[in-house]
C-alpha cells in the first residue's frame, strides 16, 4: 500500500536500473585474482575516461567494484556494477556501449547485463531471436564477448547435454567457460548483432546530444553552484520533480539560495530528460520570487525555469545531510598510495597526459577514488551480492555509483564547500566562461510524420519483411476478388443451411470437413461406426409418453404450420414488402404480384451484400461467414445512391 508521502510524490515504486558483471579468467590463487581485477579496473577507467569527463548522469554513474556471488556461481571474484537511470533511457544504452567497448578492449572479458525488465540484449533483439529461446531457458545464456553478442545454443549432441541443459537454468560458471571455448559456436546471428549495433552505433556522439543548453535566470549563489558542478542539475531537478509538502517548506524562505542576494542570467546544461521534467511541471512561484509579466514571453520563460531550478536546489540542500561525508585523507603521506600511483604510471594509466592538465587531474581523482575502494576492501569482509536476485530497494547496492562518490563528500557538504568559495569575482569569471548559445527545442515536439519515421527507423529491416508479407496478402486478395461466382456462393450457402449440422465443436464448415477427411484411417473407421447409430429424439419422447405419431401426420402438420406462417407474414405490409418476389412478367411497367412466391436466392444475395456493406470494411458476420467458404468480396467504394 502506498504511503501518504508516495501519493504526494506521485512516483512509481519501480526502480529503473541496469546491472552488469565483468568476468575475467579464473586463477588458482585468489590473491592473484584480486590483483588482476584491480589492474583490470585501472585499464577500464583509463579507457572510458574521455567519454565520461563531460557527461551528465541522470541518477547514477557507471562504476565497477570487486564482488563475490552469494551462491558461489561463479566461485571466484568478478567486477560488478549497478546504476539507476530513472527516466533517461540514454544512460542505459550509453552504459551498454561502454560495456561493448570494454569487451573489445579486454578480449578475455565475458560480460553479462540485465535491467529491471530482464535481459536487455534479448529484449532489444526480440524480433530476431531463434524460436527455441524463451524465458524458461534464456537465463545465463546471453553475454557480450569480444565485442559481439553470444547466445549459448541448445545441446546438439549427447556429450553437450551434461554441460548445456535444454531446459531450466544454465550454470553461470559453465556458461562462461562455454563462451570462451573456441570449439563451440556461440556467436549470435547477424540480425541479432545488427539490432544491438543499431542501438549503440551512434555513441559516444549520441551521449553529447543528450545534453540540452538553455538560459535560466538564477539566484547568484545557485548559478555559481551549478556552473561549478554541472552534475548537481540532475539531483536538483529530481528533488523538484519528486517534491513533497515537507520539502516545499524550504522554498518558502529560500534561506540558502535567496533571489534577494542578486540574480544572474546564464546558460545551464540540462539533460533532455531533466529539462522536459522541469518545463512540463506546473509550479507556482514562492513568495521570495517575483516573475516578470507573462506577456514578456522570453523573460518569463527564463525566470520561471530558473525559479524551478533554484527551488529544486534548495530542496536538495534541505533534504541532504552529511551521512556520506568522510574525513579528508592525506594521500601524499600514504606510502602505499605513492606506490600505487607509480604502478599506474608504469602500466600507462595516465597515457600521454601532462601532469597538471585537466585530463590528468581527472584521472588522478579517479585513481584516488579507486584507492579508497581498495583500502575499504582490505579493511572489511568480502563484499558479495546475489546476481540472480538483486534487491533494488537496497541503497547500498548503488552507493558506488553516486555521482559525487569520488569526492568523498555528501551533496550538502559539497554545496557548503562551494558556497564557502563563493565571491562575486568568481561568479563573474564563471559567467564569462559559459558558451551563451542555446539549443533548439525541436526534439520536444514530434509530429505524426516524424513519429512514423522514428518507428520505421526503429523497426529497421523488420519493416521490409512486414511490407513484403503485406504485399503478398494484398496480391492474393486481389486475385480472389477478381472473380466472385454468385451462383456458387448461393448454392454453397443453401447447402450449408439445409444439410450442415452443429455439434459440441460448433458448425462444420466445408474447410473443416476437408481437414477432418485428411485424418488417419483409425479416425475414419470410428466415423463409420458412428454413422451406423441413428437417434430420433421425437420418436424417443413419444415412446416415453406411450404415444406414436405417423410420419404422414408429421408432414401434414408441418405444411399447415408453414402455411400459417406465410399467411402471418403476408398480413404485415412492411414485412412482406421487404422481400423480393419472383416476377415472371418482364414488362418494367407491370406491377409486382403480391401472391407471387419469394425469390429466396435473390433475397439471400441481397441480404448478405447489405450486411457486408454495413461492415464498412471492418470484420463482421457476413465477411467471416463468406471467408469460411473461400469467398472474399471486394470493398464497397461506391457512394450510396
Amino acid at each position: 500500500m502506498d504511503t501518504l508521502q508516495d501519493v504526494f510524490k506521485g512516483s512509481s515504486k519501480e526502480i529503473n536500473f541496469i546491472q552488469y558483471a565483468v568476468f575475467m579468467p579464473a586463477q588458482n590463487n585468489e590473491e592473484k585474482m584480486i590483483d588482476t581485477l584491480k589492474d583490470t579496473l585501472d585499464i577500464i577507467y583509463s579507457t572510458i575516461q574521455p567519454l565520461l569527463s563531460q557527461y551528465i548522469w541522470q541518477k547514477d554513474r557507471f562504476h565497477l567494484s570487486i564482488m563475490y556471488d552469494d551462491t558461489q556461481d561463479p566461485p571466484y571474484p568478478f567486477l560488478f556494477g549497478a546504476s539507476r537511470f530513472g527516466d533517461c533511457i540514454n544512460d542505459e544504452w550509453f552504459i551498454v556501449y561502454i560495456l561493448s567497448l570494454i569487451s573489445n578492449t579486454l578480449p578475455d572479458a565475458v560480460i553479462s547485463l540485465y535491467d529491471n525488465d530482464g535481459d536487455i540484449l534479448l529484449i532489444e533483439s526480440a524480433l530476431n531471436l531463434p524460436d527455441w529461446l524463451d524465458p524458461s531457458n534464456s537465463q545465463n545464456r546471453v553475454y557480450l564477448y569480444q565485442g559481439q553478442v553470444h547466445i549459448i545454443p541448445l545441446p546438439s549432441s549427447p556429450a553437450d547435454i551434461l554441460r548445456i541443459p535444454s531446459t531450466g537454468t544454465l550454470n553461470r560458471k559453465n556458461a562462461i567457460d562455454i563462451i570462451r571455448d573456441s570449439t563451440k559456436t556461440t556467436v549470435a546471428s547477424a540480425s541479432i548483432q545488427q539490432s544491438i549495433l543499431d542501438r549503440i552505433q551512434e555513441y559516444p556522439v549520441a551521449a553529447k546530444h543528450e545534453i540540452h543548453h538553455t538560459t535560466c535566470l538564477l539566484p547568484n549563489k545557485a548559478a555559481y553552484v551549478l556552473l561549478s558542478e554541472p552534475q548537481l542539475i540532475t539531483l536538483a531537478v529530481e528533488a523538484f520533480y519528486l517534491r513533497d509538502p515537507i520539502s516545499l517548506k524550504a522554498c518558502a524562505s529560500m534561506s540558502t539560495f535567496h533571489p534577494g542576494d542578486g540574480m544572474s542570467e546564464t546558460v545551464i546544461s540540462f539533460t533532455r530528460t531533466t529539462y522536459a521534467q522541469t518545463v512540463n511541471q506546473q509550479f507556482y512561484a514562492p513568495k521570495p520570487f517575483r516573475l516578470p509579466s507573462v506577456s514578456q514571453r522570453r523573460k518569463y520563460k527564463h525566470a520561471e525555469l530558473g525559479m524551478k531550478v533554484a527551488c529544486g536546489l534548495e530542496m536538495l540542500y534541505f533534504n541532504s545531510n552529511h551521512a556520506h561525508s568522510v574525513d579528508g585523507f592525506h594521500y601524499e603521506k600514504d606510502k602505499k598510495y605513492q606506490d600505487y600511483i607509480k604502478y599506474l604510471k608504469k602500466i600507462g594509466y595516465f597515457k600521454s597526459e601532462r601532469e597538471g592538465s585537466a585530463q590528468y587531474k581527472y584521472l588522478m581523482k579517479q585513481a584516488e577514488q579507486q584507492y579508497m575502494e581498495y583500502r575499504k576492501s582490505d579493511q572489511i569482509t568480502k563484499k558479495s551480492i546475489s546476481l540472480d536476485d538483486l534487491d533494488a530497494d537496497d541503497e547500498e547496492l548503488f552507493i558506488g555509483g553516486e555521482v559525487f562518490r569520488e569526492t568523498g563528500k555528501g551533496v550538502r557538504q559539497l554545496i557548503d564547500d562551494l558556497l564557502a568559495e563563493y565571491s562575486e569575482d568568481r561568479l563573474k569569471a564563471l559567467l564569462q566562461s559559459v558558451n551563451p548559445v542555446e539549443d533548439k527545442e525541436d526534439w520536444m515536439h514530434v509530429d505524426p510524420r516524424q513519429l512514423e519515421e522514428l518507428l520505421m527507423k526503429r523497426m529497421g529491416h523488420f519493416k521490409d519483411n512486414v511490407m513484403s508479407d503485406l504485399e503478398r496478402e494484398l496480391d492474393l486478395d486481389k486475385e480472389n476478388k477478381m472473380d466472385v461466382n454468385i451462383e456458387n456462393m448461393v448454392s454453397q450457402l443453401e447447402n450449408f443451411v439445409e444439410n450442415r449440422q452443429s455439434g459440441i465443436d460448433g458448425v462444420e464448415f466445408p474447410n473443416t470437413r476437408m481437414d477432418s477427411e485428411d485424418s488417419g484411417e483409425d479416425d475414419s473407421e470410428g466415423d463409420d461406426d458412428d454413422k451406423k447409430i441413428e437417434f430420433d429424439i421425437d420418436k424417443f419422447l413419444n415412446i416415453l409418453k406411450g404415444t406414436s405419431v405417423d410420419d404422414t401426420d408429421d408432414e401434414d402438420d408441418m405444411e399447415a404450420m408453414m402455411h400459417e406462417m406465410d399467411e402471418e407474414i403476408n398480413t404485415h405490409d412492411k414485412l412482406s414488402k421487404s422481400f423480393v418476389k419472383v416476377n415472371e412478367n418482364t414488362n418494367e411497367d407491370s406491377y409486382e404480384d403480391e401472391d407471387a412466391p419469394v425469390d429466396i436466392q435473390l433475397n439471400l444475395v441481397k441480404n448478405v451484400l447489405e450486411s457486408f456493406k454495413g461492415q464498412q470494411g471492418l470484420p463482421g458476420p457476413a465477411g467471416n461467414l463468406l471467408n469460411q467458404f473461400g469467398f472474399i468480396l471486394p470493398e464497397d467504394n461506391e457512394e450510396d445512391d
Side-chain angles (χ1 to χ4, degrees):
M1 181 178 179
D2 292 342
T3 63
L4 184 61
Q5 187 175 7
D6 294 330
V7 174
F8 277 114
K9 286 184 177 182
S11 60
S12 173
K13 286 187 175 182
E14 184 180 11
I15 298 175
N16 294 326
F17 71 95
I18 178 174
Q19 67 177 80
Y20 35 92
V22 181
F23 304 97
M24 300 302 292
Q27 300 185 21
N28 296 330
N29 190 316
E30 183 178 1
E31 184 177 350
K32 188 177 181 181
M33 182 74 187
I34 295 294
D35 292 338
T36 300
L37 291 178
K38 290 179 179 180
D39 294 344
T40 303
L41 275 176
D42 296 332
I43 295 173
I44 289 174
Y45 284 125
S46 177
T47 301
I48 67 176
Q49 181 274 330
L51 308 177
L52 309 181
S53 57
Q54 302 296 326
Y55 188 72
I56 299 178
W57 297 98
Q58 177 73 14
K59 181 70 175 177
D60 295 329
R61 61 188 175 88
F62 173 83
H63 73 100
L64 290 167
S65 57
I66 300 174
M67 285 283 184
Y68 290 82
D69 182 58
D70 288 338
T71 61
Q72 293 293 302
D73 185 20
Y76 48 83
F78 52 90
L79 300 178
F80 174 82
S83 304
R84 295 166 293 188
F85 54 86
D87 296 325
C88 186
I89 302 298
N90 186 75
D91 277 10
E92 180 180 26
W93 282 101
F94 187 34
I95 290 176
V96 175
Y97 167 76
I98 291 173
L99 293 171
S100 177
L101 183 63
I102 292 172
S103 70
N104 274 316
T105 306
L106 303 174
D108 292 331
V110 177
I111 302 174
S112 68
L113 56 159
Y114 297 87
D115 64 8
N116 50 293
D117 292 324
D119 194 312
I120 182 174
L121 299 178
L122 292 184
I123 294 172
E124 185 63 24
S125 56
L127 299 176
N128 303 302
L129 296 179
D131 296 335
W132 61 266
L133 192 62
D134 57 49
S136 66
N137 60 14
S138 63
Q139 191 171 1
N140 297 336
R141 283 187 183 270
V142 186
Y143 296 89
L144 280 177
Y145 181 61
Q146 296 181 353
Q148 291 185 307
V149 179
H150 286 247
I151 301 178
I152 299 176
L154 292 176
S156 56
S157 65
D160 291 340
I161 296 178
L162 299 177
R163 298 180 65 193
I164 312 175
S166 57
T167 58
T169 303
L170 179 63
N171 180 276
R172 186 178 291 106
K173 179 183 178 300
N174 290 341
I176 295 170
D177 294 338
I178 293 171
I179 293 293
R180 291 199 182 100
D181 187 358
S182 59
T183 62
K184 193 70 178 176
T185 303
T186 58
V187 179
S189 64
S191 58
I192 294 177
Q193 306 289 350
Q194 189 62 43
S195 62
I196 302 301
L197 181 61
D198 291 343
R199 204 69 165 84
I200 64 175
Q201 65 182 356
E202 295 183 0
Y203 290 92
V205 177
K208 297 180 180 179
H209 292 166
E210 178 66 15
I211 308 302
H212 180 79
H213 304 89
T214 190
T215 302
C216 298
L217 183 63
L218 292 163
N220 286 343
K221 291 183 178 179
Y224 179 80
V225 168
L226 291 176
L227 292 177
S228 300
E229 283 290 351
Q231 183 63 63
L232 280 170
I233 187 65
T234 57
L235 302 182
V237 171
E238 181 185 39
F240 170 77
Y241 189 68
L242 302 178
R243 59 189 179 276
D244 55 36
I246 299 175
S247 301
L248 285 172
K249 292 181 180 179
C251 298
S253 60
M254 296 295 293
S255 57
T256 307
F257 303 101
H258 200 284
D261 297 336
M263 303 290 286
S264 298
E265 189 174 85
T266 184
V267 174
I268 297 296
S269 298
F270 291 78
T271 65
R272 287 186 172 184
T273 304
T274 54
Y275 182 73
Q277 289 175 334
T278 307
V279 297
N280 291 322
Q281 282 271 307
Q282 185 177 8
F283 184 71
Y284 297 102
K287 290 183 179 180
F289 289 91
R290 294 293 181 267
L291 301 183
S293 173
V294 181
S295 60
Q296 298 175 297
R297 295 179 60 184
R298 185 175 179 82
K299 289 185 177 180
Y300 180 82
K301 176 185 176 182
H302 296 166
E304 184 188 35
L305 183 59
M307 176 269 297
K308 293 178 179 179
V309 172
C311 289
L313 198 59
E314 186 75 34
M315 286 185 280
L316 174 66
Y317 184 82
F318 177 80
N319 294 332
S320 302
N321 52 52
H322 298 275
H324 296 105
S325 63
V326 296
D327 296 334
F329 182 78
H330 299 286
Y331 294 100
E332 66 278 2
K333 297 181 179 180
D334 191 309
K335 186 177 183 303
K336 289 184 178 180
Y337 173 76
Q338 299 300 329
D339 294 338
Y340 175 64
I341 295 298
K342 291 179 181 178
Y343 178 74
L344 291 181
K345 292 180 179 179
K346 182 180 179 181
I347 64 174
Y349 172 77
F350 294 98
K351 301 180 180 178
S352 58
E353 298 295 335
R354 294 182 60 184
E355 217 173 310
S357 66
Q359 296 290 344
Y360 185 91
K361 289 180 180 178
Y362 183 85
L363 288 171
M364 182 65 75
K365 185 181 292 186
Q366 293 282 344
E368 291 174 356
Q369 175 196 359
Q370 198 59 49
Y371 179 73
M372 293 303 295
E373 293 287 338
Y374 295 157
R375 278 177 54 87
K376 291 179 181 179
S377 63
D378 292 339
Q379 294 171 1
I380 61 177
T381 57
K382 300 176 182 178
K383 292 190 293 184
S384 63
I385 44 93
S386 176
L387 287 173
D388 296 328
D389 188 21
L390 287 183
D391 183 7
D393 294 323
D394 186 4
E395 290 289 335
E396 292 186 2
L397 178 66
F398 306 101
I399 197 170
E402 293 176 340
V403 290
F404 297 113
R405 180 71 174 174
E406 69 271 11
T407 64
K409 303 175 183 178
V411 172
R412 189 183 182 104
Q413 183 182 353
L414 177 64
I415 295 176
D416 285 337
D417 291 346
L418 291 173
L419 292 177
E421 300 172 355
Y422 169 77
S423 68
E424 293 186 1
D425 293 337
R426 287 176 178 266
L427 175 60
K428 186 177 180 179
L430 284 174
L431 293 174
Q432 291 177 349
S433 65
V434 174
N435 186 351
V437 179
E438 294 185 85
D439 294 332
K440 296 181 180 180
E441 298 181 7
D442 298 344
W443 56 270
M444 292 188 65
H445 311 287
V446 181
D447 58 34
R449 180 179 298 178
Q450 289 176 313
L451 179 60
E452 185 176 353
E453 291 176 356
L454 289 173
L455 290 175
M456 289 297 99
K457 181 180 178 181
R458 182 72 181 84
M459 298 301 288
H461 59 277
F462 181 70
K463 173 190 65 175
D464 300 330
N465 297 335
V466 172
M467 294 304 296
S468 61
D469 292 342
L470 183 60
E471 289 176 359
R472 284 196 297 269
E473 291 181 4
L474 291 175
D475 292 340
L476 182 61
D477 290 347
K478 289 180 180 178
E479 293 177 2
N480 292 333
K481 293 175 183 177
M482 291 290 289
D483 184 17
V484 179
N485 192 326
I486 299 297
E487 294 182 358
N488 187 23
M489 180 180 71
V490 171
S491 64
Q492 289 200 37
L493 287 173
E494 288 181 341
N495 182 55
F496 172 74
V497 173
E498 294 175 359
N499 300 322
R500 296 296 173 199
Q501 295 181 352
S502 63
I504 59 174
D505 294 328
V507 180
E508 182 182 293
F509 287 95
N511 293 337
T512 57
R513 181 178 61 82
M514 292 175 64
D515 293 340
S516 62
E517 289 178 355
D518 294 337
S519 58
E521 296 179 357
D522 295 338
D523 295 337
S524 61
E525 292 176 1
D527 293 339
D528 294 338
D529 295 339
D530 293 339
K531 290 179 181 177
K532 298 176 183 178
I533 302 174
E534 296 181 357
F535 182 78
D536 191 329
I537 184 64
D538 294 328
K539 291 183 179 180
F540 178 72
L541 291 176
N542 290 331
I543 292 173
L544 292 178
K545 294 177 182 179
T547 61
S548 62
V549 180
D550 191 23
D551 292 341
T552 56
D553 294 337
D554 290 342
E555 293 179 359
D556 294 340
D557 292 342
M558 179 63 68
E559 290 180 0
M561 184 179 65
M562 294 298 295
H563 181 71
E564 291 178 3
M565 291 177 63
D566 291 339
E567 291 292 334
E568 184 177 357
I569 291 175
N570 291 330
T571 56
H572 294 80
D573 293 338
K574 291 184 178 179
L575 188 61
S576 62
K577 291 180 180 180
S578 65
F579 293 100
V580 180
K581 299 181 180 180
V582 177
N583 188 6
E584 297 180 354
N585 193 341
T586 58
N587 187 359
E588 296 180 357
D589 297 333
S590 62
Y591 294 97
E592 185 183 63
D593 186 4
E594 295 182 357
D595 296 330
V598 173
D599 192 333
I600 296 177
Q601 293 185 347
L602 183 58
N603 280 278
L604 174 63
V605 174
K606 177 185 175 183
N607 291 331
V608 169
L609 294 179
E610 287 180 351
S611 176
F612 181 79
K613 182 177 181 179
Q615 297 177 189
Q616 298 181 351
L618 299 174
N624 293 338
L625 180 63
L626 292 175
N627 285 338
Q628 294 292 338
F629 294 97
F631 295 105
I632 301 177
L633 297 182
E635 295 181 4
D636 181 20
N637 296 323
E638 299 181 0
E639 297 181 356
D640 294 333
D641 296 334

